[in-house]
Amino acid sequence: MRKNQMYLKFVERDTRMKMQMKADGEDTGAEYDASFYDLDTDLTFFARSEELYDLADGGEDLPMNITFWLRENMYTFDGKLVGVAPHMGGHMVLVAQTSPISATSRRSDTRNEMRVPVNLYDISPDDMSGHPRAPDGAPVFTAETFDVSAGGFCLVSNEPLISDRLLFLAEFSLSEKSDFLLPVKLLRRGDCPQTVLYHYDYGFLFVFDNVPAERARVATAITDAVFRSRLASRVR
């Protein structure tokens, strides 16, 4: 047993979970919201979700990827939707854990509050396998960042992002000489706990797999932007 390993027994009741169905071993299926209720065994637990309750009524184990947040960490693990559990209450389902729970620090990269316009475009397979090309057509979503880090950004908007996709091509600029066109992955949707000025917030992760040098360029551009902002505030 590893010290500080996350186990289901440490998850608090009513913790919100995002459950994404797996298709052909990939996390590309529909997403569902659920809330953790209680343990059944060390590796199975009850969760409440009206949508999953209807889905689980078919009696077939369904593989999924499960994500939840606890303080500064995001946790993910593989599981399967076992079936309904009406004896536990309304819209209760039984879920089995099928892989260890892994943690990713939400603060692994320093977040810098800055307002940067971002255009999101549908992404093509070529954009994911090579260097992204200039997009064709209009963006599917335009919003402003609340914060930016070398790992990703948070977008805030009064308009919802209406798309079932998780991968997009993001176009933004951190300065006159720092234009970026990067694949991003949608990690979370929220009701904008960041600020009362907006209705929605969306957390995105940069996908540097095929453009590793861009991470350093993003980090450098952020540092320059923060420096210029602080310098300007001193001049005033």
Side-chain angles (χ1 to χ4, degrees), residues 47-60:
R48 181 180 285 110
S49 171
E50 184 174 354
E51 293 176 315
L52 285 176
Y53 188 88
D54 294 337
L55 189 67
D57 201 25
E60 179 183 354

Side-chain angles (χ1 to χ4, degrees), residues 35 37 46-49 53 83-94:
S35 59
Y37 183 73
F46 299 105
R48 181 180 285 110
S49 171
Y53 188 88
V84 298
H87 63 287
M88 294 297 296
H91 302 124
M92 206 72 71
V93 297
L94 180 64

